Amino acid sequence: MGITIKEIGFKTVRRPLKTPFKSVLQQVDEREVIVVSVQDESGDIGYGECVAFETPWYTEETITSCRFVLEHVLLPLLRGQNFQHPKEVWELFKAVKGNRMAKAAIEMAVWDLFAKQQQQPLWQFVGGILKAVPAGIVIAADPSQIGDRVAQANNAGYKRIKIKIHPDTDPFVLKSVVTNYPELLFFADANGSFNKANFERLKEFDDVGFTLIEQPFGEREWALHARAKAQLNTKICLDESISSVDDVQQMIDMKAGDIVVLKMSRLGGWTETLKVVELCREHSIGMWVGGMIEFGVSKAHNLALASLPGIEYPGDFSASTHFWEKDIIEPEIFVDNGEIQLSQLTGIGYKVDTAHLSPSEEAKECF
């Protein structure tokens, strides 16, 4: 049984972070996203979240460009369409080049809607097997604060901690922190800040004790990543380099990485992400689910993704209260003994508090 989308809505969320999020690329003090809702003829509603940033520091998309594409390009393509499976949305959107974050927001909402139609939690609908997902936190702060932040995360029960690094970061300071917590997994995220000239500097982080180093070089620097994989003992993980299943194949062919970060927003939604998961399984490539300083709608989709078999490393899953005074979902996501329990309710499993969100211009259209 398929669905016919009757109505699509866009609402804006803009809230300050409790603590600034700092990386070598940008400092984020306030976050704006677009919550997408799709409603079928029976009245069921699916939700997605567009997580592009205000400026193009992470990808070429921005929240402003996504708003335009959502309202004026993608929405008209959905007009009058009936879908037998949510992956058909991906096929429909092939007529539009790029704009993966905008596409992902609508596609994710349709997957949520289909799961609700089938009376299944989204994680079951996509083939998930885990009922609880291990929680991981990202520490993006000044070096003087890292030790305290790690201690706080450990006390809160997080099982994995990711630390932002760059060529000026002192690896010896980080090694002393990592050594103090042998029971925790530590990731390093370089956000592409290293290059050919300071390659030897990257090698100094090989003895810190990190499980992996994420995106040491620029997103198209396949040869440098292959060189790092060959020369370092620490596993090399690619994030910004992976925007399609073809990019994963490129990584495999060039032996440029051991692990892939799965980000549905960067890949364009569930359909392409599931193709990436399948390819990684076939080639024994490690996987984990990355975050985008998102609200609960996007995080609920990511939790469903993290429940799939083969995704072995803990992802970017913090409690709602980590970034926000109040999330946009009910109940809020919380961490219990280092894990987040997956909801047994249908779809994403959370109620979305749309009453307190701001409508976008031309925010709703009925078909």
Side-chain angles (χ1 to χ4, degrees):
M1 182 172 65
I3 64 168
T4 299
I5 297 175
K6 179 181 178 183
E7 188 174 289
I8 299 176
F10 308 110
K11 289 196 172 184
T12 298
V13 186
R14 187 179 184 90
R15 293 181 184 173
L17 276 69
K18 291 169 69 174
T19 304
F21 186 93
K22 298 180 180 180
S23 74
V24 68
L25 298 177
Q26 186 81 341
Q27 175 172 314
V28 180
D29 300 292
E30 192 173 45
R31 191 71 166 102
E32 179 181 350
V33 303
I34 300 169
V35 176
V36 176
S37 61
V38 295
Q39 183 174 333
D40 65 10
E41 293 175 318
S42 69
D44 287 332
I45 301 176
Y47 293 97
E49 183 178 330
C50 182
V51 295
F53 291 97
E54 290 188 60
T55 58
W57 62 269
Y58 181 73
T59 71
E60 72 281 1
E61 290 180 86
T62 68
I63 198 68
T64 300
S65 70
C66 285
R67 184 176 288 109
F68 176 87
V69 172
L70 284 165
E71 296 174 1
H72 299 288
V73 181
L74 300 181
L75 187 151
L77 286 176
L78 294 174
R79 190 174 286 116
Q81 296 289 338
N82 177 273
F83 299 106
Q84 299 301 310
H85 192 279
K87 66 184 179 182
E88 294 171 14
V89 177
W90 172 262
E91 295 299 320
L92 181 68
F93 286 170
K94 281 184 177 180
V96 179
K97 293 184 178 180
N99 293 284
R100 293 181 180 87
M101 290 189 171
K103 291 176 180 178
I106 290 184
E107 205 224 34
M108 290 161 69
V110 175
W111 278 81
D112 179 29
L113 184 58
F114 264 88
K116 288 170 178 171
Q117 183 198 64
Q118 297 298 315
Q119 294 293 302
Q120 285 185 292
L122 179 60
W123 62 271
Q124 287 185 354
F125 181 71
V126 298
I129 58 173
L130 298 179
K131 294 183 179 180
V133 170
I137 203 169
V138 182
I139 293 179
D142 293 329
S144 61
Q145 300 175 327
I146 289 177
D148 290 340
R149 294 281 185 88
V150 170
Q152 292 169 6
N154 180 61
N155 292 336
Y158 288 101
K159 297 182 177 180
R160 186 228 72 186
I161 296 172
K162 185 170 77 172
I163 299 174
K164 297 287 187 177
I165 66 169
H166 53 80
D168 293 332
T169 303
D170 188 341
F172 299 102
V173 172
L174 296 184
K175 185 172 183 177
S176 66
V177 173
V178 170
T179 303
N180 287 335
Y181 300 92
E183 72 281 5
L184 298 179
L185 286 178
F186 282 91
F187 295 178
D189 184 5
N191 287 118
S193 58
F194 290 83
N195 54 43
K196 183 178 180 180
N198 55 31
F199 185 91
E200 294 301 316
R201 177 63 171 168
L202 175 67
K203 293 171 69 174
E204 294 180 21
F205 290 85
D206 205 18
D207 295 327
V208 171
F210 289 122
T211 300
L212 58 86
I213 298 176
E214 179 185 343
Q215 200 68 43
F217 306 105
E219 58 191 67
R220 299 292 98 183
E221 296 286 0
W222 299 107
L224 280 176
H225 282 119
R227 179 181 169 190
K229 173 176 163 54
Q231 294 189 21
L232 273 66
N233 293 317
T234 309
K235 293 182 183 296
I236 300 300
C237 173
L238 297 190
D239 177 12
E240 289 93 336
S241 294
I242 307 299
S243 59
S244 68
V245 69
D246 291 338
D247 288 334
V248 179
Q249 188 63 59
Q250 174 93 337
M251 185 193 83
I252 294 168
D253 292 343
M254 293 193 66
K255 299 180 180 179
D258 307 284
I259 301 169
V260 163
V261 183
L262 302 172
K263 288 186 179 177
M264 275 189 283
S265 58
R266 195 189 57 238
L267 289 164
W270 272 104
T271 302
E272 187 77 354
T273 302
L274 291 174
K275 292 177 184 178
V276 169
V277 170
E278 183 178 358
L279 182 61
C280 287
R281 286 180 189 149
E282 290 175 1
H283 292 270
S284 300
I285 299 297
M287 295 176 280
W288 56 276
V289 179
M292 291 287 291
I293 319 177
E294 68 263 283
F295 291 92
V297 172
S298 178
K299 190 170 290 185
H301 280 274
N302 286 342
L303 285 167
L305 174 61
S307 74
L308 291 171
I311 301 179
E312 57 185 296
Y313 294 97
D316 293 337
F317 292 114
S318 55
S320 291
T321 54
H322 177 64
F323 287 129
W324 320 113
E325 292 293 346
K326 182 172 175 53
D327 206 338
I328 62 173
I329 58 169
E330 297 176 355
E332 294 191 317
I333 294 169
F334 67 96
V335 175
D336 182 20
N337 194 30
E339 295 182 330
I340 297 172
Q341 297 294 320
L342 296 184
S343 174
Q344 298 299 313
L345 300 178
T346 61
I348 60 172
Y350 297 89
K351 179 181 177 181
V352 181
D353 183 17
T354 58
H356 294 92
L357 306 185
S358 302
S360 298
E361 294 181 6
E362 302 179 29
K364 183 182 289 186
E365 181 159 335
C366 300
F367 303 146

